[in-house]
Structures are given as C-alpha cells and as structure tokens.
C-alpha cells in the first residue's frame, strides 16, 4: 500500500516541483543574454540532473525505475516546444548511461527504452507538423499511454494490495501517477502564468503615462534594453508645445490636460497612417515635453513627417473657436544616429535633439529643426564672423 501511495502521490508531487523549477529556469535563460548554445547546454545539464534524481528516488523507494520519460514529455510541451522533442532521443542514452554506471542489469530492456524514445519523438513531431488544436494535456496523456502500453508488454510486474485479492500492474500505477502530475502541473502552471501576466501588466503600466497613454521615461529606458531587431538608424525627435503655460493660464489646467491628450492621439493617428506601429514610439518626458523615437528612418524623412503633421495640427486648432486667445503649435528638434551595435548613441541623439528643440524655440517656435542642419549653420556663421574679423584686420 505504501508503494501505491508513493507512486500516485509523493513522486507526482516531486515531479511537479521539478517541472515548475525547470519552466522558471528556462524562462529566465530565455530573457537573459545567454548565448544559444550556453542556454541549451545549461538546460540539458539541468534535465540530466533531474532525470538522475527521479531514477534514484524511484529505485530507492519503490524498488524499480519508473517515470523515465515523464519529464521529457512535459518539458517538450510546456518549456521547449520547438527543441524539446530531442529529449526523447537523448533520454535513452541518459538512462543506459545511468544503468551502466550503477551496474544495473537492464539487459532485455534496451529495446523498450529506445523504442519508447523513438515513438515519442515521432508522435510528437507528427502532432506538431499537423498543428492539431487539441489541448496540450490531452496530447501528453496520449504519450503517457504509449509509454504504459509498451512497458506493459515487456517485463513489468504486478503489485498486490494488502488484505485484498487485487493485483495492479506497476506500469498502470505509474500511468496513474503521471495523470496526477498532469492535474497538478496544469493547476500550478495556470497560477504561474497568471502571476507572470500580472507582473508583466504591472511593469507595462508603470511604463505608461496615465494621462496621455504615451510611454513615460521609464519606458524609454526599457526601450534601450529591448531594441527592435535589425535597427540600423534611430532618429529622436523632441517635441514641446508652444506657450503651454499660457494655455493653462487662459483656459485652465483641465483644458491643458485635454490638449496633451489630444496631441498624443493626433500624433498616433497621423503616424499610424504613414508608418507601421513598430517603426516608432512616443514618450512623455514630463509636462508638455514629448519624445518620438523612429527606427530605420533618417532625420529628413522624420522632419518631413513632423512638418506635415505640425501644419495640420496648427490648422486644426486655428479652426477651433475655443482657442481663439492662444495660438496652439509645437516646436521640434531632431537628431539621427547610426546604431552600429551601440545602443548608447540614442542618449547622444536625445541630447542633440534637445539642443535642436531649444534652437527651434529661440528661432520663434512652431518649426522643426534638425540638429545637423543647426550645426552646419553655426559653423557657417562662425566662418563668416572669422572672415569679417580677418578683413577688418587687413584694413
């Protein structure tokens, strides 16, 4: 009776714990900067350790090896859906190496061990290729049944229940224990996914400006950590609403907030009509100051976009009777940088765009200035001043 309890209660709990641990570690290695080969080497070593632990535990407490493929089946479906199927081919090698190391006589079982691994590999691959919409746990039970049927046809033994004339094949008990793992893991995995979703939602919420819906500065920092793939050029545009304080003083802070909300909404609508959503991000840095980050768009393209939007924005608010006392417009500073593997240049682009914005403000507002153009003008002005000084000295 103790053996039955161990097979269908204690061991399934241990297996569920190992699987949840493996899932967490596989997610962590997926998020961190592990090289692909390092990630799979780590997970393979971890799997070998877990497999060794289960084999040792089952042999010590029930007197025979069991649940050999249970870990591989669950990992293939929940942790490594693309690469996990190869565990079915690796597991027979691990099992035979383990048996040989401990001088366990597994003669006659080699065919069963290898056959189960190959059949699992084939069935799993076929189910993947067919893209069957059946739930994962149904497919897992199907593979577990294959395991049981093959084992029943080999050298499995029967277990008697004390005080009763009942004998249950040990492989049937292992299958029942595996069903308990299915039940427990599904419950705990669901809770785990809910916790992860809640955490991700909280992180995303913390990166969104609650008033306008734009990303905040925390979101900007996060963007630098998770740059879009294949980005060669990044262009930063700093936007500042002109005379925003006058809007607040004239119409009140609520109307000022409505103007900020309207600006973000109109930027999104315009940019989405011209670009793909993944080609730009909009951030609110505070007050009436916003930042747009464009991927693989040069400064001239961005200037044309923002100039076109600026004119339509000003025209729209010129036609709004409620804003007859204040001209609503904005100024923009732009800077572009080639990434070339260095994401930190975005900070430089941000600083340069801010300087260009300052220049746009000083030049009379309601305009878009590219930082490079601004530099060239300054250089030309400096050169003219230098020439004038030289001419005066000659005279």
């Amino acid at each position: 009776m103790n053996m039955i309890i161990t097979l269908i209660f204690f061991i399934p709990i241990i297996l569920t714990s190992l699987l949840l641990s493996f899932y967490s570690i596989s997610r962590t290695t997926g998020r961190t900067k592990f090289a692909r080969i390092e990630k799979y080497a780590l997970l393979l070593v971890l799997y070998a350790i877990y497999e060794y632990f289960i084999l040792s535990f089952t042999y010590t407490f029930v007197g025979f090896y069991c649940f050999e493929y249970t870990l591989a089946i669950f990992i293939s479906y929940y942790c490594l859906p693309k690469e996990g199927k190869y565990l079915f081919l690796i597991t027979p090698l691990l099992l035979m190496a383990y048996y040989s190391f401990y001088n366990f006589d597994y003669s006659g079982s080699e065919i069963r061990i290898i056959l189960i691994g190959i059949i699992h590999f084939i069935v799993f691959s076929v189910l993947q290729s067919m893209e069957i919409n059946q739930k994962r746990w149904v497919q897992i039970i199907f593979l577990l049944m294959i395991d049981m049927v093959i084992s029943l046809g080999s050298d499995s033994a029967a277990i008697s229940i004390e005080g009763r004339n009942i004998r249950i094949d040990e492989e049937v008990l292992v299958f029942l224990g595996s069903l308990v793992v299915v039940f427990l893991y599904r419950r705990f995995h669901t809770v785990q996914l809910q916790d992860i979703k809640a955490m991700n939602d909280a992180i995303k919420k913390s990166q969104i400006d609650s008033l306008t819906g734009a990303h905040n500065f925390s979101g900007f920092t996060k963007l630098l950590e998770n740059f879009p793939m294949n980005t060669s050029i990044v262009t930063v545009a700093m936007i500042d609403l002109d005379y925003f304080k006058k809007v607040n003083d004239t119409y009140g802070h609520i109307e000022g907030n409505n103007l900020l909300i309207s600006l973000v909404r109109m930027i999104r609508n315009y940019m989405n009509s011209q670009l793909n959503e993944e080609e730009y991000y909009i951030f609110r840095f505070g007050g009436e100051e916003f930042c747009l980050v464009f991927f693989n768009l040069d400064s001239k393209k961005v200037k044309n976009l923002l100039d076109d939007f600026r004119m339509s924005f000003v025209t729209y608010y010129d036609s709004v009777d409620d804003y007859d006392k204040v001209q609503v417009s904005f100024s923009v500073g732009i800077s572009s940088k080639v990434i070339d593997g260095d994401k930190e240049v975005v900070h430089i682009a941000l600083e340069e765009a801010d300087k260009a914005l300052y220049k746009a403000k000083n030049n009379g507002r309601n305009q878009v200035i590219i930082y490079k153009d601004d530099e060239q003008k300054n250089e030309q002005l400096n050169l003219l001043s230098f020439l004038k000084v030289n001419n005066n000295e000659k005279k």
Side-chain angles (χ1 to χ4, degrees):
M1 192 68 182
N2 290 337
M3 185 181 296
I4 294 175
I5 294 174
T6 302
L7 285 171
I8 64 175
F9 183 69
F10 289 119
I11 295 178
I13 290 176
I14 293 172
L15 277 166
T16 303
S17 301
L18 294 176
L19 287 167
L20 290 171
S21 169
F22 193 95
Y23 177 79
S24 298
I25 294 172
S26 65
R27 277 183 55 84
T28 302
T29 56
R31 291 195 302 266
T32 52
K33 297 180 180 179
F34 271 95
R36 191 179 182 87
I37 188 169
E38 291 176 350
K39 171 188 173 181
Y40 291 127
L42 173 63
L43 294 178
L44 180 59
V45 170
L46 186 66
Y47 173 73
I49 293 172
Y50 284 2
E51 190 73 9
Y52 167 80
F53 175 78
I54 287 297
L55 292 173
S56 301
F57 187 89
T58 55
Y59 188 77
T60 301
F61 287 93
V62 297
F64 62 93
Y65 297 108
C66 51
F67 296 99
E68 299 104 317
Y69 284 92
T70 306
L71 284 173
I73 292 172
F74 278 86
I75 289 171
S76 298
Y77 276 99
Y78 284 99
C79 306
L80 302 170
K82 292 182 179 179
E83 306 86 357
K85 62 184 178 181
Y86 297 106
L87 289 178
F88 297 129
L89 302 179
I90 295 172
T91 301
L93 302 177
L94 291 176
L95 293 176
M96 288 187 285
Y98 176 82
Y99 296 154
S100 299
F101 183 79
Y102 283 94
N103 298 319
F104 176 74
D105 184 13
Y106 63 95
S107 57
S109 299
E110 302 99 320
I111 296 177
R112 178 184 70 85
I113 294 171
I114 296 173
L115 185 61
I116 292 176
I118 293 175
I119 291 177
H120 282 342
F121 177 82
I122 294 173
V123 172
F124 183 87
S125 300
V126 170
L127 292 175
Q128 271 194 325
S129 63
M130 293 174 64
E131 297 183 354
I132 296 176
N133 293 325
Q134 195 61 261
K135 293 181 178 180
R136 283 184 292 188
W137 64 270
V138 176
Q139 297 184 33
I140 288 173
I141 291 175
F142 179 62
L143 290 175
L144 292 171
M145 288 180 66
I146 292 174
D147 197 338
M148 180 186 67
V149 170
I150 296 175
S151 298
L152 282 172
S154 58
D155 54 357
S156 61
I159 299 172
S160 299
I161 300 179
E162 297 175 5
R164 300 186 182 183
N165 189 24
I166 300 175
R167 290 172 62 82
I168 304 176
D169 193 286
E170 61 188 26
E171 292 300 334
V172 175
L173 291 174
V174 171
F175 175 71
L176 293 175
S178 299
L179 293 182
V180 174
V181 178
V182 173
F183 172 77
L184 291 175
Y185 187 77
R186 284 187 65 214
R187 294 295 298 272
F188 283 108
H189 184 65
T190 301
V191 173
Q192 197 174 37
L193 289 179
Q194 289 172 347
D195 290 342
I196 292 172
K197 184 179 183 302
M199 182 177 65
N200 289 337
D201 289 344
I203 292 173
K204 288 180 181 179
K205 191 174 181 181
S206 70
Q207 296 169 3
I208 298 296
D209 174 53
S210 58
L211 176 65
T212 63
H215 295 278
N216 54 27
F217 190 77
S218 175
F220 181 81
T221 305
K222 190 68 177 176
L223 174 67
L224 296 182
E225 297 174 2
N226 301 281
F227 234 62
M229 296 289 289
N230 304 320
T231 300
S232 56
I233 299 175
V234 64
T235 299
V236 176
M238 292 297 297
I239 298 177
D240 190 88
L241 278 167
D242 300 327
Y243 305 110
F244 183 69
K245 184 179 183 302
K246 192 174 181 180
V247 172
N248 281 334
D249 293 342
T250 305
Y251 301 107
H253 289 280
I254 293 177
E255 191 57 42
N257 287 343
N258 290 335
L259 178 59
L260 296 174
I261 295 169
S262 177
L263 174 63
V264 172
R265 185 184 69 251
M266 292 175 72
I267 289 175
R268 279 210 178 104
N269 290 340
Y270 176 79
M271 293 301 168
N272 288 343
S273 69
Q274 304 294 319
L275 306 170
N276 296 321
E277 287 188 10
E278 62 272 13
E279 288 184 286
Y280 78 97
Y281 277 83
I282 179 169
F283 303 88
R284 183 188 179 197
F285 280 1
E288 69 274 23
E289 193 170 61
F290 296 86
C291 173
L292 268 70
V293 179
F294 298 87
F295 305 108
N296 297 322
L297 292 175
D298 60 33
S299 55
K300 290 184 180 179
K301 172 69 173 176
V302 172
K303 183 180 187 301
N304 291 336
L305 286 170
L306 289 175
D307 255 333
D308 188 37
F309 170 69
R310 179 184 57 80
M311 288 186 286
S312 63
F313 180 80
V314 171
T315 301
Y316 170 76
Y317 275 98
D318 282 346
S319 65
V320 177
D321 294 334
D322 293 342
Y323 282 89
D324 56 341
K325 298 178 181 178
V326 180
Q327 181 185 9
V328 177
S329 62
F330 59 81
S331 304
V332 185
I334 297 173
S335 177
S336 291
K337 292 293 175 185
V338 176
I339 295 298
D340 196 24
D342 183 12
K343 298 178 183 178
E344 293 303 317
V345 296
V346 180
H347 287 294
I348 299 174
L350 180 63
E351 292 176 5
E352 292 178 352
D354 207 37
K355 291 177 182 177
L357 172 63
Y358 182 76
K359 183 67 176 178
K361 288 285 192 182
N362 288 339
N363 282 354
R365 295 178 170 83
N366 191 22
Q367 56 188 279
V368 180
I369 289 183
I370 299 175
Y371 178 77
K372 190 174 182 180
D373 290 347
D374 186 39
E375 278 188 321
Q376 289 174 345
K377 288 178 182 177
N378 286 335
E379 289 174 1
Q380 290 173 356
L381 289 172
N382 291 333
L383 179 61
L384 289 172
S385 298
F386 176 75
L387 292 174
K388 286 181 180 178
V389 170
N390 284 344
N391 288 333
N392 291 332
E393 290 179 350
K394 288 179 180 180
K395 291 178 181 179

